[in-house]
Amino acid sequence: MAADKLNEAKLSTMEENKENATEDGIGLESILSEFITLSLYELLQIIKDSQQQHGLRHGDYQRYRGYCSRRLRRLRKTLGFKCGNRHKFTGKKVTVDMLYLLLVLMEAERAWSYAMQLKQEANTEPRKRFHLLSRLRKAAKHGERLEKLCESPRVDAKTKLEAQAYTSYLSGMVRFELQEWKAAMEAFNKCKTIYEKLASAFTEELAVLYHQRVEEISPNIRYCAYNIGDQNAMNELMQMRLSAGGGGGMMAEKLEALITQTRAKQAATMSEVEWRGRTVPVKIDKARIFLLGLGDNEAAIAQAANEETKERLYETLLAECRDTIQAVREELKTEAKQRERSDDAGGKVSNLQFLHSYLTYIKLWTVVKRNESMAHVLQAKLKETQPDENKRGPRPQDLIRLYDIILQNIVHLQGLEEDHTFQKEVALKMLVYKAYRCFFIAQSYVLVKKWSEALVLYERVLKYAKEVQSKAKSLNNSLKDLPDVQELITEVNAEKYSLQAAAILDTEDTPEAPTQQNVRDNTPLCERLETFHLDPALVGKQPNLVQFPPDFQPIPCKPLFFDLALNHVAFPPLDDKVEQKGKGGLTGYIKGIFGFGS
């Protein structure tokens, strides 16, 4: 703002000097030369300051266009360079005699900012692309007028070079939008060469601005080279995205847009994708572009120089994945309507549904890997000593929260019920992250000196880890993308010993204050050798080492025999040996009573 007011004040001073020069006989040429030197010294600096202070820091081209219009009005009013009145427009052109360079520069910037605003709106309204090209041509035309005015001998060499670079940049933008790749690359290369020469001619402080401009132009040059036929240009664009760092901004957005356009051209050759032993045709263009760049994105994440860059790449990958899943969902709705019309129930999973499952798996697993990367950073900071005690550092609770989110995403991975191997792999991943979550819960208990709870949790970690190792033998390469379980086992064993030592020391320091760790258990020592308890009685006068007298033990008693076979024995008939009773009537009855007949 201060620079704008200063320039406008110089313009009004120049007008006063014109009148005084006429009266005093002073040459107008010297006054104009002083004005040029003062006003357009470091032309690129004037442009960048105006852009950063009036909206382009946040990509608001509409605000910057409004600023250019207001500044043009102030300049015209100050210079008396009005184009008619409020009732009638009378066009005027800046001639070599006038040399109102700042006026022409603001006209070019206003047209360029309007073109960039239309470019943002053209994503949803393609018809605005025609208006965009018209505004860019007008900006390039104003740039050519500026370069022509700077050919005057009253303009210094540096301003001439900057005007040529600015015109080449605008011309390259027009050719770039028209997809005239060769002409665009020539214009951008000319602009890049001039700015590099200017940067080498000044100190480091002044050269930073020119180097930034060169970095902005370089992705466009690589993209033009790719379209001309240079196959290495795509790799160079990926390297530029890695070197851009975690700052994001306009440079990162431009790189992402160019990389997406490059993949769109390559996606025409991609027709299918294979996952879990099934090949699925990919007919959606957005899905083709995403799957084509998936390997490059994963490689870029692996090669990221710092955590900020890695985090930005993860977010970019997740945003692309979400957009792709939304496009597949729209196609699934259309497919469902067609099935309803044809009354086709269809028991088998369709290709679109399988593709949707694959993309969902990629999204969820990317979230898992991102959170795991964040957990590694926090874990490294947790092991470091904090120089400032008043400043809050990372805590185990932060890591517990991250592993909670990881487990929630793994739960959503459940799918493809008929693929039993997939289900086993998901269950194995669940066990691994449960072990890590349990480990950091134990760490949080150690901080508050809850030794027994921490020890139990460490035992649970070892149980999970050994279960993972036993199940992983049946699944090939199942632990390839997972954290190292053996390293966790080693760390837990070390923590257990330090925990026991810390618990004993804590008990000796405060003997009169009974803690939760002083477990009073009547079980003798010989029966709980595998369990750690703090029992002060063991070092007293009556240690409970063994139970005496020992408890009675049951022994087998003398067996009782029962003749069960007698009920099943069939005796021989004795009818022939039994005496037949005679029919004696009353006499025989009487004999039988008194025993005479026996």
Side-chain angles (χ1 to χ4, degrees):
M1 254 338 226
D4 298 346
K5 291 180 180 178
L6 181 62
N7 285 330
E8 289 168 11
K10 291 170 184 174
L11 289 170
S12 58
T13 304
M14 192 203 73
E15 281 295 320
E16 294 175 2
N17 288 340
K18 276 186 185 179
E19 297 175 0
N20 296 334
T22 306
E23 295 176 1
D24 300 340
I26 300 174
L28 185 61
E29 182 175 342
S30 60
I31 296 173
L32 289 173
S33 301
E34 181 184 357
F35 161 66
I36 292 165
T37 305
L38 292 174
S39 298
L40 288 183
Y41 185 72
E42 296 177 4
L43 185 146
L44 185 60
Q45 181 72 47
I46 294 173
I47 294 172
K48 284 295 181 183
D49 287 346
S50 300
Q51 290 178 353
Q52 292 298 312
Q53 293 173 13
H54 298 92
L56 260 64
R57 188 187 299 271
H58 309 290
D60 191 352
Y61 292 99
Q62 186 174 4
R63 179 184 165 194
Y64 181 58
R65 181 168 70 96
Y67 161 75
C68 292
S69 298
R70 292 191 300 274
R71 189 172 185 186
L72 274 172
R73 183 174 177 274
R74 290 196 300 268
L75 286 171
R76 287 194 177 113
K77 186 176 180 180
T78 305
L79 293 170
F81 193 76
K82 297 182 179 179
C83 298
N85 52 35
R86 66 177 62 184
H87 303 293
K88 184 180 179 182
F89 174 79
T90 305
K92 286 185 181 181
K93 291 185 178 181
V94 179
T95 61
V96 179
D97 297 330
M98 298 177 185
L99 285 177
Y100 298 155
L101 303 183
L102 194 59
L103 193 67
V104 181
L105 177 64
M106 284 296 105
E107 287 179 342
E109 281 293 291
R110 180 175 65 172
W112 172 82
S113 60
Y114 194 12
M116 294 299 101
Q117 176 190 341
L118 291 168
K119 187 172 183 179
Q120 289 180 338
E121 297 172 357
N123 294 329
T124 55
E125 302 177 54
R127 290 289 302 172
K128 289 194 175 182
R129 180 170 172 75
F130 297 103
H131 197 184
L132 151 69
L133 292 172
S134 173
R135 292 294 94 188
L136 266 183
R137 289 192 185 99
K138 190 167 187 178
K141 187 176 179 182
H142 287 309
E144 291 171 0
R145 284 175 55 203
L146 178 64
E147 184 181 359
K148 188 175 181 181
L149 289 172
C150 289
E151 291 176 358
S152 170
R154 290 176 290 184
V155 180
D156 61 346
K158 180 179 178 298
T159 305
K160 289 179 181 178
L161 284 174
E162 291 213 37
Q164 289 177 11
Y166 183 67
T167 304
S168 300
Y169 173 74
L170 293 176
S171 177
M173 291 295 294
V174 175
R175 303 299 178 189
F176 189 86
E177 291 297 331
L178 292 172
Q179 298 184 2
E180 297 176 2
W181 309 118
K182 191 172 182 180
M185 190 167 70
E186 290 175 357
F188 285 135
N189 278 326
K190 180 180 177 182
C191 177
K192 180 181 176 183
T193 303
I194 294 173
Y195 282 132
E196 286 176 344
K197 295 293 183 183
L198 287 171
S200 62
F202 296 98
T203 61
E204 285 189 12
E205 295 179 357
L206 296 175
V208 169
L209 193 65
Y210 297 107
H211 287 308
Q212 289 177 354
R213 190 67 156 186
V214 170
E215 290 177 0
E216 291 177 11
I217 297 170
S218 296
N220 291 350
I221 296 174
R222 297 290 183 273
Y223 185 68
C224 292
Y226 170 77
N227 285 283
I228 291 172
D230 187 359
Q231 297 300 325
N232 295 326
M234 181 61 184
N235 296 330
E236 293 177 0
L237 284 174
M238 296 296 295
Q239 292 299 323
M240 282 183 179
R241 183 172 70 167
L242 285 176
S243 61
M250 295 175 61
M251 181 67 179
E253 291 176 5
K254 182 184 289 186
L255 282 168
E256 295 295 341
L258 292 177
I259 289 170
T260 303
Q261 292 176 19
T262 307
R263 287 176 183 157
K265 292 181 177 294
Q266 296 175 347
T269 60
M270 182 181 181
S271 59
E272 59 187 18
V273 65
E274 184 178 354
W275 183 56
R276 308 299 305 179
R278 178 173 172 178
T279 303
V280 180
V282 183
K283 299 179 181 179
I284 304 172
D285 292 336
K286 205 159 196 173
R288 287 181 181 178
I289 295 171
F290 171 74
L291 293 172
L292 188 66
L294 181 62
D296 293 335
N297 284 326
E298 291 176 348
I301 289 170
Q303 297 172 8
N306 52 53
E307 293 301 325
E308 290 184 0
T309 305
K310 187 178 290 189
E311 179 68 19
R312 180 175 58 81
L313 292 175
Y314 269 125
E315 291 298 331
T316 302
L317 179 59
L318 286 171
E320 292 177 1
C321 190
R322 282 191 288 266
D323 294 341
T324 307
I325 290 174
Q326 185 60 35
V328 174
R329 281 177 183 164
E330 295 297 330
E331 292 293 328
L332 278 172
K333 291 179 182 178
T334 307
E335 185 183 55
K337 290 179 181 178
Q338 292 176 354
R339 284 189 175 185
E340 288 177 1
R341 292 171 186 171
S342 60
D343 296 332
D344 182 15
K348 187 180 178 181
V349 178
S350 66
N351 290 332
L352 266 180
Q353 290 172 338
F354 193 82
L355 180 62
H356 183 269
S357 299
Y358 178 42
L359 293 172
T360 305
Y361 173 82
I362 292 173
K363 186 191 80 170
L364 294 173
W365 189 242
T366 303
V367 173
V368 169
K369 300 305 289 183
R370 182 196 63 182
N371 289 339
E372 187 183 341
S373 175
M374 294 169 63
H376 287 321
V377 176
L378 284 176
Q379 191 174 355
K381 291 180 180 178
L382 194 64
K383 293 179 180 178
E384 296 175 357
T385 56
Q386 295 294 331
D388 188 3
E389 295 181 356
N390 297 325
K391 186 177 179 181
R392 180 188 178 278
R395 298 179 301 173
Q397 287 84 346
D398 302 330
L399 288 157
I400 294 169
R401 176 58 184 158
L402 282 175
Y403 280 104
D404 277 334
I405 297 172
I406 288 174
L407 288 171
Q408 289 172 11
N409 283 280
I410 292 180
V411 168
H412 293 306
L413 281 176
Q414 302 290 345
L416 302 177
E417 286 76 8
E418 68 279 359
D419 193 343
H420 300 293
T421 306
F422 179 75
Q423 298 296 327
K424 290 179 181 178
E425 290 178 1
V426 171
L428 189 66
K429 291 172 183 176
M430 182 82 74
L431 280 176
V432 171
Y433 291 112
K434 274 185 178 180
Y436 272 89
R437 176 179 174 273
C438 193
F439 174 76
F440 290 110
I441 293 175
Q443 294 266 321
S444 66
Y445 277 113
V446 169
L447 291 178
V448 294
K449 298 183 178 181
K450 292 186 177 181
W451 313 116
S452 295
E453 290 87 344
L455 189 65
V456 170
L457 288 168
Y458 281 140
E459 294 294 338
R460 179 68 62 87
V461 174
L462 292 176
K463 175 188 172 185
Y464 283 143
K466 290 174 182 176
E467 190 175 351
V468 167
Q469 288 181 333
S470 62
K471 289 185 177 180
K473 295 177 182 178
S474 59
L475 298 172
N476 296 329
N477 298 326
S478 55
L479 292 176
K480 183 177 63 175
D481 297 331
L482 296 175
D484 189 5
V485 181
Q486 185 59 43
E487 182 180 346
L488 180 64
I489 293 173
T490 305
E491 190 170 0
V492 167
N493 288 328
E495 290 289 339
K496 280 177 61 180
Y497 298 135
S498 63
L499 169 68
Q500 293 172 3
I504 294 171
L505 290 173
D506 186 56
T507 306
E508 291 178 355
D509 292 341
T510 57
E512 70 281 354
T515 62
Q516 294 182 351
Q517 313 310 317
N518 295 328
V519 179
R520 294 192 176 278
D521 193 355
N522 295 326
T523 307
L525 180 63
C526 64
E527 296 180 8
R528 55 180 177 87
L529 292 175
E530 299 298 327
T531 307
F532 172 74
H533 288 307
L534 292 179
D535 192 356
L538 292 177
V539 292
K541 294 182 178 179
Q542 294 180 347
N544 188 11
L545 302 178
V546 295
Q547 186 172 353
F548 186 84
D551 292 336
F552 290 103
Q553 294 182 357
I555 59 173
C557 62
K558 184 177 180 180
L560 300 176
F561 294 97
F562 297 94
D563 193 358
L564 302 178
L566 182 61
N567 296 330
H568 301 279
V569 173
F571 292 98
L574 300 176
D575 295 340
D576 56 337
K577 296 182 180 182
V578 176
E579 182 180 357
Q580 297 292 332
K581 294 181 179 181
K583 298 180 181 180
L586 183 59
T587 307
Y589 176 72
I590 294 172
K591 289 181 180 181
I593 293 174
F594 293 101
F596 295 114
S598 57

